[in-house]
Amino acid sequence: MRIYDPNPATLRALQGTNIELMLDVPNSDLESLNDPTAARTWVQNNIRSYPGVKFRYIAVGNEVDPNSVISVNRDCVKFVLPAMQNVHQAIVDAGLADKIKVSTATYTGLLMKSYPPSDGVFQHNVNGFIGPIITFLAQNNLPMLANIYPYFPARKQDEVPLAYALFQPGPPVNDNGLVYSNLFDAILDAHYAAQARLGGENLEIVVSESGWPSCCDSIATLENAGTYYRNLIAHVKQARGTPARPGRSIEVYLFAMFDENLKDGDESEKHFGLFSPNQTPKYQVNF
């Protein structure tokens, strides 16, 4: 599972459960972790203090973007890489580098072009931000985390067939001989292509978020959301990789466990959960 800040009650509940965890450093904390001493303290307080938790990744920042309209996602651009470096060094010094991988969670909003997938490229003005991060991850054999949502292009672009976004049968997309039957694989391979242009040819991507809302527009319905989650799970379980990277398992985190009924912004943003806030399941899914 993934949690977006080191909540002590949640971490205590996870001890001894054998549930592997991705733990975020919130964007608002990135500046403080530019101090190596603060990073060591963060690792001591939130990682080493919970020896019974199986930490898998630390996501140092989520969707930090020089072009974001959300100030906390835009103003901390210069703090991401130093914070990653300091947290990674603290993990190394703690003797945990073989168990816990440090990264950051990016998203498709950083791409200037994602179609066809082989033409995937980052926006020019984010290269100076994401390029050094890619270099750092590649040098230390760490994965990139990426939030991937077929829902958003399907909602915004009439030319994206709904079936293509939902892993349903339909006309495939041919990209120089690589045949895509779903939008998820196409977006993921666009991220791989963009990374490769900045020296990240061998940089693995973990899909740190993917989901579909059950409300409140023409394609955000309970039926479509259930279809997406079930088909995404089935697709990943096949372990066939993507057209550009076949034969590999894809690691994916579903977003989210619960509807966020108190969240600000677009109404659909409140309805990505597999469960309602009262813990009632919205879909029948089988892992």
Side-chain angles (χ1 to χ4, degrees):
M1 63 181 290
R2 178 184 181 185
I3 60 174
Y4 290 81
D5 65 85
N7 181 276
T10 304
L11 293 174
R12 287 193 297 270
L14 285 168
Q15 294 213 94
T17 62
N18 211 33
I19 295 172
E20 293 183 287
L21 182 67
M22 179 188 300
L23 175 62
D24 277 37
V25 175
N27 293 353
S28 56
D29 293 349
L30 294 174
E31 182 176 5
S32 66
L33 297 188
N34 278 225
D35 176 1
T37 300
R40 287 193 293 271
T41 300
W42 191 93
V43 168
Q44 176 62 45
N45 292 343
N46 302 306
I47 303 293
R48 302 184 73 181
S49 293
Y50 300 94
V53 177
K54 296 190 70 172
F55 294 98
R56 186 172 177 85
Y57 304 111
I58 300 174
V60 182
N62 182 58
E63 296 190 352
V64 175
D65 179 358
N67 302 314
S68 177
V69 298
I70 303 173
S71 60
V72 72
N73 292 359
R74 180 185 67 243
D75 297 342
C76 57
V77 164
K78 63 183 178 182
F79 304 128
V80 177
L81 181 56
M84 290 173 63
Q85 292 168 328
N86 289 339
V87 171
H88 174 66
Q89 189 59 53
I91 290 294
V92 170
D93 293 344
L96 298 171
D98 60 330
K99 298 178 180 179
I100 304 172
K101 304 300 182 183
V102 175
S103 188
T104 190
T106 185
Y107 76 129
T108 311
L110 295 189
L111 298 184
M112 180 176 68
K113 189 175 183 181
S114 59
Y115 178 83
S118 60
D119 285 352
V121 63
F122 288 106
Q123 297 183 50
H124 298 313
N125 72 320
V126 306
N127 284 344
F129 162 63
I130 200 68
I133 289 174
I134 289 171
T135 299
F136 170 75
L137 294 174
Q139 289 174 342
N140 291 280
N141 194 30
L142 301 169
M144 177 68 83
L145 309 175
N147 301 337
I148 292 178
Y149 287 92
Y151 161 73
F152 290 108
R155 182 184 71 173
K156 295 176 183 177
Q157 301 175 27
D158 293 338
E159 64 267 26
V160 177
L162 182 60
Y164 186 59
L166 293 175
F167 299 90
Q168 293 176 323
V173 171
N174 192 306
D175 179 10
N176 296 316
L178 296 179
V179 179
Y180 288 85
S181 61
N182 66 81
L183 185 54
F184 175 87
D185 282 351
I187 297 174
L188 180 51
D189 276 349
H191 275 266
Y192 273 120
Q195 286 184 172
R197 289 182 164 83
L198 295 178
E201 296 89 347
N202 299 316
L203 192 61
E204 198 70 26
I205 293 176
V206 172
V207 180
S208 43
E209 291 180 17
S210 191
W212 197 284
S214 59
C215 180
C216 297
D217 61 47
S218 62
I219 68 168
T221 65
L222 197 67
E223 180 181 3
N224 286 345
T227 297
Y228 182 78
Y229 287 115
R230 285 189 290 269
N231 287 346
L232 174 60
I233 292 167
H235 178 67
V236 171
K237 286 175 69 175
Q238 292 174 350
R240 294 178 181 173
T242 66
R245 294 189 169 225
R248 304 184 182 202
S249 295
I250 305 171
E251 186 174 347
V252 180
Y253 288 72
L254 302 183
F255 186 89
M257 188 174 291
F258 295 102
D259 278 352
E260 298 176 282
N261 56 313
L262 302 180
K263 192 172 186 177
D264 295 330
D266 191 274
E267 186 64 25
S268 65
E269 294 279 352
K270 302 178 182 181
H271 298 275
F272 275 85
L274 296 178
F275 294 84
S276 298
N278 66 2
Q279 302 182 40
T280 303
K282 292 161 60 180
Y283 321 106
Q284 292 298 318
V285 295
N286 183 2
F287 292 98

